[in-house]
């Protein structure tokens, strides 16, 4: 009986994303892939750079932590690696709190107007009215129903308008309007978090060989077996390796190795900024000694007051 090994590859090519990584692949092409059954894979790239050059690689957001943990970059012909940069950013909730209008937690109109007290607004109710936001209050009618009213300070004094009657509200301050739009832009950017760009900088002279290696999450390869029966009595047991290519580029001219061992694999969040809570040291203020006071000894109210009288000077 003879055992033969074959490779069955499921190549997933995404035409829309291949256009964005085509230049990167031609600069530092993929040369070697080692897949483990523990859910990770080692990827090695080898290519050439010329002079001072920056190489861009596109990765999934879920792969960045593994990449930062394992990335090794080498300039093999006397050049230097200037650094590796990536698009790290604060959590969305923290970034939203830095704007004049905090949109964290999906606030309603009442919450937004409460934050904008003292700002200039223009209302259409239905005629345009301009003034400063005083606040939002709840009032009850004669039947006990609750209604929300917006109070603004106009040129003629404080006026109240039911929120249901306001057809349009505009911020007259360019600063507030800009901050509001920036906050909405941050929310829109948070929806597209599937991709991150890693930039590797090289500096040197002439054309040089460079290499990059890193670990990222990869589908575990699987095995399948087939028994081929022959009329002459020579039977073959075939072992097949089923490999999925979950990357955005084809594995062309790539050395592929499959490892059945299970090295320890863990995930550590290295891409998200961390802010440490620090204790606040308050300046201590010690009270000074109080001055000595005496009762009125001239009132003649008794010996008790005289006991506190100052001693006569010698």
């Amino acid at each position: 009986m003879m055992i033969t090994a074959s490779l069955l590859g499921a190549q997933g090519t995404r035409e829309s994303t291949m256009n964005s990584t085509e230049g990167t692949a031609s600069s530092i092409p993929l040369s070697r892939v080692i897949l483990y059954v523990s859910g990770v894979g080692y990827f090695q790239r080898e290519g050439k750079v010329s002079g001072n050059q920056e190489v861009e690689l596109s990765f999934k957001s879920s792969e960045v932590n593994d990449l930062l943990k394992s990335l090794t970059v080498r300039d093999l012909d006397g050049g230097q690696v200037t650094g590796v940069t990536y698009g790290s950013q604060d959590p969305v909730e923290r970034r939203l709190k830095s704007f004049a209008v905090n949109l964290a937690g999906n606030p309603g109109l009442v919450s937004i107007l409460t934050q904008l007290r003292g700002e200039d607004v223009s209302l259409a109710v239905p005629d345009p009215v301009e003034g400063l936001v005083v606040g939002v209050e709840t009032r009850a009618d004669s039947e006990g129903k609750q209604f929300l009213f917006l109070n603004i300070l106009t040129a003629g004094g404080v006026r109240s308008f039911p929120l249901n009657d306001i057809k349009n509200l505009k911020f007259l301050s360019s600063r507030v309007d800009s901050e509001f739009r920036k906050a909405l832009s941050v929310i829109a950017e948070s929806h597209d978090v599937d991709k991150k760009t890693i930039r590797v900088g090289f500096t040197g002279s002439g054309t040089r060989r460079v290499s990059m290696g890193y670990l990222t999450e990869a589908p575990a390869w699987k095995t399948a077996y087939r028994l081929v029966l022959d009329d002459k009595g020579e039977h073959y047991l075939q072992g097949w390796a089923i490999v999925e290519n979950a990357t955005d580029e084809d594995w062309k001219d790539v050395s592929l190795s499959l490892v059945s061992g299970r090295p320890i694999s863990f995930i550590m969040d290295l891409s998200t900024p961390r802010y440490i809570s620090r204790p606040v040291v308050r300046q201590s203020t010690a009270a000074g000694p109080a001055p000595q006071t005496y009762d009125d000894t001239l009132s003649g109210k008794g010996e008790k007051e005289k006991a506190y009288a100052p001693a006569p000077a010698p």
Side-chain angles (χ1 to χ4, degrees):
M1 179 179 292
M2 182 180 296
I3 299 178
T4 63
S6 301
L7 179 66
L8 179 63
Q11 196 112 297
T13 304
R14 299 174 181 84
E15 192 171 323
S16 59
T17 56
M18 279 293 293
N19 296 331
S20 60
T21 59
E22 190 175 16
T24 300
S26 62
S27 300
I28 308 292
L30 191 64
S31 61
R32 187 181 182 187
V33 176
I34 302 177
L35 298 181
Y36 301 88
V37 293
S38 57
V40 295
Y42 174 77
F43 298 83
Q44 181 173 324
R45 297 179 178 272
E46 296 177 345
K48 295 182 179 180
V49 296
S50 179
N52 300 334
Q53 185 175 342
E54 188 178 68
V55 177
E56 291 188 359
L57 299 173
S58 180
F59 295 92
K60 298 177 182 178
S61 297
S62 59
E63 300 173 342
V64 173
N65 288 321
D66 287 330
L67 181 80
L68 297 177
K69 181 177 63 178
S70 61
L71 178 64
T72 58
V73 184
R74 300 173 61 194
D75 194 318
L76 303 175
D77 294 326
Q80 292 183 345
V81 180
T82 58
V84 179
T85 60
Y86 62 98
S88 176
Q89 63 180 16
D90 287 338
V92 177
E93 296 295 324
R94 185 182 181 90
R95 296 177 65 189
L96 291 176
K97 291 179 180 179
S98 64
F99 296 105
V101 184
N102 184 5
L103 299 182
N106 191 22
L109 181 59
V110 175
S111 177
I112 294 175
L113 290 174
T114 302
Q115 297 180 54
L116 295 177
R117 295 179 62 190
E119 298 291 344
D120 283 315
V121 295
S122 175
L123 309 178
V125 283
D127 296 331
V129 178
E130 296 183 1
L132 302 175
V133 176
V134 177
V136 180
E137 65 175 336
T138 303
R139 299 178 187 173
D141 60 5
S142 57
E143 298 179 357
K145 295 182 179 180
Q146 302 289 333
F147 294 94
L148 293 173
F149 285 80
L150 173 62
N151 301 325
I152 66 172
L153 177 62
T154 65
V158 178
R159 299 180 60 183
S160 296
F161 301 94
L163 282 183
N164 293 336
D165 295 343
I166 299 176
K167 306 302 180 183
N168 182 41
L169 187 147
K170 180 181 179 181
F171 306 125
L172 297 181
S173 171
S174 59
R175 177 187 61 84
V176 173
D177 186 74
S178 177
E179 291 278 294
F180 194 83
R181 294 180 183 275
K182 288 179 181 178
L184 292 176
S185 178
V186 168
I187 296 176
E189 291 175 2
S190 66
H191 299 160
D192 187 17
V193 295
D194 189 52
K195 291 293 182 181
K196 280 190 177 294
T197 300
I198 307 295
R199 296 177 176 86
V200 183
F202 298 93
T203 181
S205 59
T207 302
R208 307 179 311 280
R209 296 171 299 135
V210 297
S211 67
M212 302 172 55
Y214 50 87
L215 286 171
T216 62
E217 185 179 30
W221 64 278
K222 302 174 287 291
T223 56
Y225 301 95
R226 292 165 175 77
L227 179 61
V228 180
L229 303 179
D230 189 272
D231 295 337
K232 298 180 181 181
E234 297 181 359
H235 308 314
Y236 298 92
L237 179 62
Q238 297 179 345
W240 293 72
I242 303 175
V243 177
E244 289 85 13
N245 177 11
T247 64
D248 292 338
E249 57 184 298
D250 291 331
W251 291 353
K252 183 179 181 181
D253 298 329
V254 173
S255 173
L256 178 62
S257 301
L258 305 177
V259 180
S260 60
R262 292 181 177 271
I264 297 176
S265 178
F266 58 90
I267 298 176
M268 184 176 182
D269 188 2
L270 297 175
S271 61
T272 303
R274 296 179 181 178
Y275 296 90
I276 306 299
S277 298
R278 298 175 295 166
V280 177
V281 178
R282 301 186 182 278
Q283 188 176 13
S284 60
T285 55
Q292 187 175 2
T293 59
Y294 302 93
D295 291 338
D296 186 7
T297 58
L298 301 178
S299 60
K301 292 183 179 180
E303 296 296 330
K304 184 177 180 180
E305 286 81 0
K306 294 182 180 179
Y308 294 96

